[in-house]
Amino acid sequence: MRNLLIVIITFVSFVSCTKNKGSESVLKSYIENRFSQKIEKSDFTDFFGGELLEEMNTLDNEAIGKLNQVKGQKKKSFKINFRRCDNEKCFLTYTLVFDTTAKAEVNSSGTNEADVRVKVKKIAELRKVEEKWKIFGISDIKTHYDYKTLNK
């Protein structure tokens, strides 16, 4: 009897930890994919809905290539700061921090590449479509650039 109780508790714990977390998991999955793998046009339907999906589907290969430029950058943190959700719609305010390189004017003699830590704060609007959460829009709130090293 005791072994059966342990098996049931373990199973319930496993199921509760692996269940779909809804809107937050869709947003997190999209962010993770942007930094870890190349996103193809066929992936858009997994993440987007509404007018945003229509707009994304009109992108040509050059624009999709620009979207994939973030793949090589180093994501440092992702945090959902605020949620305002009901059963059909959810607004998630989140902060994303990543490292990249950018051209920076060092002095009057020219530019150099610099290491930059970028911190962006955004709001994602998600809606439930056929029992799945989809991103319908992402709005920028604030972006902060911290140039760590100006001379490489």
Side-chain angles (χ1 to χ4, degrees), residues 55-133:
E55 187 178 314
M56 297 297 278
N57 281 329
T58 64
L59 295 178
D60 60 12
N61 288 336
E62 183 180 339
I64 293 171
K66 287 180 181 178
L67 275 175
N68 284 318
Q69 287 177 348
V70 76
K71 180 183 170 230
Q73 299 168 355
K74 297 176 188 161
K75 181 177 72 78
K76 292 300 197 182
S77 66
F78 171 77
K79 179 181 177 188
I80 295 178
N81 307 100
F82 182 75
R83 301 158 191 75
R84 191 179 81 215
C85 302
D86 60 30
N87 291 335
E88 299 299 318
K89 192 184 246 187
C90 192
F91 292 92
L92 300 173
T93 302
Y94 66 95
T95 304
L96 173 65
V97 179
F98 60 94
D99 289 342
T100 188
T101 57
K103 293 197 185 247
E105 189 170 321
V106 177
N107 53 36
S108 60
S109 65
T111 60
N112 253 348
E113 283 204 347
D115 291 331
V116 182
R117 178 154 291 169
V118 181
K119 182 178 182 179
V120 294
K121 193 168 192 178
K122 299 181 179 235
I123 297 175
E125 176 187 350
L126 293 96
R127 296 182 195 169
K128 213 178 242 189
V129 177
E130 297 174 1
E131 297 304 312
K132 293 182 181 176
W133 287 99

Side-chain angles (χ1 to χ4, degrees), residues 13-21:
S13 298
F14 177 75
V15 170
S16 66
C17 290
T18 59
K19 72 177 186 173
N20 185 355
K21 294 182 182 173

Side-chain angles (χ1 to χ4, degrees), residues 26 39-49 53-54 56-57 129 132-135:
V26 170
I39 292 183
E40 303 289 338
K41 206 172 210 178
S42 59
D43 297 327
F44 293 161
T45 55
D46 293 339
F47 299 111
F48 304 114
L53 176 60
E54 292 172 14
M56 297 297 278
N57 281 329
V129 177
K132 293 182 181 176
W133 287 99
K134 303 287 183 174
I135 301 169

